[in-house]
């Protein structure tokens, strides 16, 4: 009888020993073990991502010629509009460089664009993190901005050998300097406490009292460029609600984020380029 009791308690004793050993391990050893475990499982996630891309490719191969012709026409129209935007951007960039030289303004930090596929999202923290398919092998750095066609996605929080973790702007851990479009007064944007799979929202603070917004009259919120991390003018979301703060000196409000943040398949990392 005692032997049977011991056999039944053996799993719990083993678990208790493992927990005790983990608690007494040095912090450096714990960090190394976490990083090693992530690097071991990363190839599996990356392989699944490649297989998913291959499935999408063969799914497209089954489309009819008529559908492909229509898609090609739509793509040609989009490319034409992008070519015009590139020409306008080049003209504006040349004018900006000329004005900076005349006024002797220090040049803004430059970035190179590194496009990356999204490997997976953390379902337990849907609006906080995602993993992309590039890491130190492509020169990705911690803190680099991550963007997409709709504006800011977030910033790189961790970099591994072949993958990187992105902290989304919907995460409460992200705080950025922002401005309302058409106004140059800086405010503070922070991610909100968002439910899984629900619409993502953020919080705006230190808003001047003469700025108004409502669900029927929203304001576009963009990055201010302060801090030198995120370029100015990138979309963060739309301010849908403002009310006076407790001190009565400013307003606080609610920011509606882009719904496409929940279904991203590809993003762009702005990797800082040294000018030295």
């Amino acid at each position: 009888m005692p032997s049977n009791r011991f056999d039944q308690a053996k799993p719990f004793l083993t678990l208790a020993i493992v927990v005790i050993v983990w608690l007494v391990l040095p912090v450096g050893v714990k960090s190394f073990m976490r990083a090693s475990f992530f690097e071991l499982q990363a190839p599996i996630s990356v392989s699944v991502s490649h297989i998913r891309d291959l499935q999408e490719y063969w799914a497209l191969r089954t489309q009819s010629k008529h559908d492909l012709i229509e898609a090609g026409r739509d793509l040609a129209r989009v490319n034409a509009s992008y070519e015009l935007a590139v020409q306008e951007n080049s003209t504006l960039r040349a004018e900006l460089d000329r004005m900076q030289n005349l006024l002797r303004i220090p040049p803004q930090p430059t970035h190179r664009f590194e496009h990356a596929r999204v490997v997976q999202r953390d379902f337990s923290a849907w609006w906080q993190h995602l993993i992309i398919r590039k890491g130190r092998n492509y020169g990705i750095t911690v803190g680099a901005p991550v963007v997409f066609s709709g504006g800011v996605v977030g910033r790189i929080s961790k970099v591994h050998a072949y993958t990187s973790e992105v902290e989304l702007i919907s995460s409460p851990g992200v705080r950025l300097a922002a401005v309302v479009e058409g106004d140059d007064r800086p405010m503070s944007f922070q991610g909100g406490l968002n439910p899984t799979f629900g619409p993502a929202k953020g919080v705006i603070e230190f808003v001047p009292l003469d700025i108004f917004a409502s669900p029927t009259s929203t304001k576009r919120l963009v990055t201010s460029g302060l801090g030198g991390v995120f370029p100015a003018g990138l979309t963060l979301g739309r301010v849908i609600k403002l009310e006076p703060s407790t001190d009565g000196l400013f307003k606080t409000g609610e920011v509606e984020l882009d719904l496409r943040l929940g279904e991203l398949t590809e993003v762009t990392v702005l990797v800082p380029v040294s000018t030295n």
Side-chain angles (χ1 to χ4, degrees):
M1 188 71 179
S3 177
N4 292 336
R5 289 182 178 178
F6 178 77
D7 291 338
Q8 292 175 356
K10 188 181 295 184
F12 298 99
L13 291 174
T14 304
L15 178 61
I17 293 172
V18 171
V19 171
I20 293 172
V21 171
W22 178 257
L23 291 175
V24 299
L25 280 176
V27 175
V29 176
K30 293 179 182 178
S31 301
F32 175 77
M33 293 179 67
R34 288 195 192 99
S36 300
F37 178 75
F38 189 91
E39 296 291 3
L40 285 173
Q41 69 174 0
I44 299 176
S45 300
V46 173
S47 299
V48 171
S49 176
H50 282 292
I51 292 173
R52 187 164 56 246
D53 290 346
L54 187 61
Q55 290 175 335
E56 292 177 358
Y57 169 76
W58 284 109
L60 291 174
R61 288 291 300 268
T62 61
Q63 298 292 322
S64 66
K65 291 183 179 180
H66 176 75
D67 293 338
L68 293 176
I69 292 173
E70 289 295 326
R73 289 174 179 172
D74 293 339
L75 183 60
R77 297 189 190 99
V78 172
N79 286 337
S81 62
Y82 279 149
E83 288 175 2
L84 179 60
V86 167
Q87 294 175 7
E88 293 176 347
N89 182 66
S90 299
T91 302
L92 293 173
R93 174 58 60 182
E95 180 64 17
L96 178 60
D97 292 340
R98 187 179 71 84
M99 296 299 294
Q100 286 179 341
N101 291 331
L102 287 174
L103 300 174
R104 297 182 180 179
I105 299 175
Q108 296 294 319
T110 57
H111 303 84
R112 64 178 174 86
F113 303 123
E114 196 64 64
H115 307 291
R117 298 284 290 180
V118 174
V119 174
Q120 67 181 37
R121 301 178 76 101
D122 184 356
F123 281 89
S124 62
W126 184 261
W127 290 114
Q128 278 72 46
H129 298 91
L130 56 81
I131 299 174
I132 59 174
R133 211 163 62 190
K134 289 185 178 180
R136 287 193 297 270
N137 55 334
Y138 282 88
I140 305 297
T141 57
V142 173
V146 183
V147 300
F148 77 121
S149 60
V152 177
V153 174
R155 63 188 177 195
I156 299 294
S157 58
K158 293 181 182 179
V159 179
H160 306 283
Y162 305 103
T163 58
S164 298
E165 298 181 40
V166 181
E167 186 174 18
L168 301 176
I169 58 169
S170 49
S171 169
V174 173
R175 185 182 288 270
L176 300 173
V179 295
V180 169
E181 186 177 29
D183 195 298
D184 60 357
R185 290 171 291 182
M187 310 162 196
S188 177
F189 167 84
Q190 184 177 12
L193 298 174
N194 295 294
T196 304
F197 305 126
K201 295 180 180 179
V203 178
I204 187 73
E205 298 176 311
F206 307 112
V207 181
L209 296 175
D210 60 346
I211 294 180
F212 300 90
S214 66
T216 57
S217 180
T218 62
K219 299 286 186 181
R220 180 170 172 257
L221 191 70
V222 300
T223 53
S224 67
L226 297 176
V229 178
F230 284 85
L234 298 177
T235 300
L236 291 169
R238 302 199 72 85
V239 183
I240 60 174
K241 178 182 177 182
L242 285 175
E243 56 187 19
S245 57
T246 54
D247 57 16
L249 300 176
F250 298 96
K251 288 182 177 180
T252 60
E254 193 174 287
V255 181
E256 185 179 60
L257 304 181
D258 198 310
L259 294 176
R260 290 174 291 177
L261 284 174
E263 53 188 29
L264 292 173
T265 57
E266 190 165 356
V267 297
T268 299
V269 184
L270 305 182
V271 183
V273 176
S274 176
T275 57
N276 295 334

